[in-house]
Amino acid sequence: EIRLYCYYGGICYISQHQWDKALQYFENVISAPAMMPSAIMVEAYKKYLLVSLIHCGEMRSLPRYTHSAVTRACKQLCPAYEEVATAFQTRSVEDLGKVADKNAETFIKDINLGLIGQVVDA
């Protein structure tokens, strides 16, 4: 399936620190036609949010053609990641560290702790 191909492609680009290409691949997963997000779309959204913070310094907007129900559901299903994005906007390393510590179990389970560390360092 094309979503899995793009998801794993995005992960490969993360490992090479090719952030822009990773964002494009995750964007393809999230913006694929759907009425509700699949599990892979939610996972891609989490990585998209973190890579966006690392590479752009802010949460990059999804394309207009992304179904609004998908966007809304992803945000509701990823409260820990939305909290990271909010804390990142305050530009307070202390606030970001608190959010990272509070949600560490979630980030470990999602295998995103390394990206969270890079967000904190950004």
Side-chain angles (χ1 to χ4, degrees):
E1 177 176 336
I2 191 69
R3 289 181 191 151
L4 285 173
Y5 173 84
C6 289
Y7 176 75
Y8 289 121
I11 291 174
C12 289
Y13 282 123
I14 284 174
S15 71
Q16 298 171 354
H17 295 265
Q18 294 185 24
W19 307 118
D20 199 45
K21 289 182 180 181
L23 282 173
Q24 289 173 354
Y25 271 64
F26 293 134
E27 188 176 283
N28 289 340
V29 176
I30 301 162
S31 299
M35 295 298 285
M36 290 302 293
S38 63
I40 201 70
M41 293 170 89
V42 173
E43 293 305 313
Y45 178 80
K46 293 171 183 177
K47 292 190 183 329
Y48 179 86
L49 188 149
L50 297 176
V51 171
S52 180
L53 295 176
I54 293 165
H55 182 61
C56 305
E58 62 184 3
M59 177 55 183
R60 197 162 97 173
S61 298
L62 290 168
R64 290 181 302 173
Y65 52 83
T66 305
H67 198 289
S68 61
V70 170
T71 304
R72 191 170 40 254
C74 282
K75 288 181 179 185
Q76 290 173 349
L77 293 169
C78 307
Y81 293 87
E82 292 295 324
E83 199 174 341
V84 167
T86 302
F88 188 87
Q89 291 173 346
T90 67
R91 302 287 187 222
S92 168
V93 176
E94 184 178 318
D95 290 347
L96 194 54
K98 286 179 185 176
V99 170
D101 290 342
K102 180 178 123 184
N103 296 298
E105 192 172 308
T106 299
F107 303 137
I108 291 168
K109 180 181 68 82
D110 293 343
I111 312 172
N112 285 329
L113 194 59
L115 282 176
I116 290 293
Q118 291 183 51
V119 168
V120 172
D121 291 343

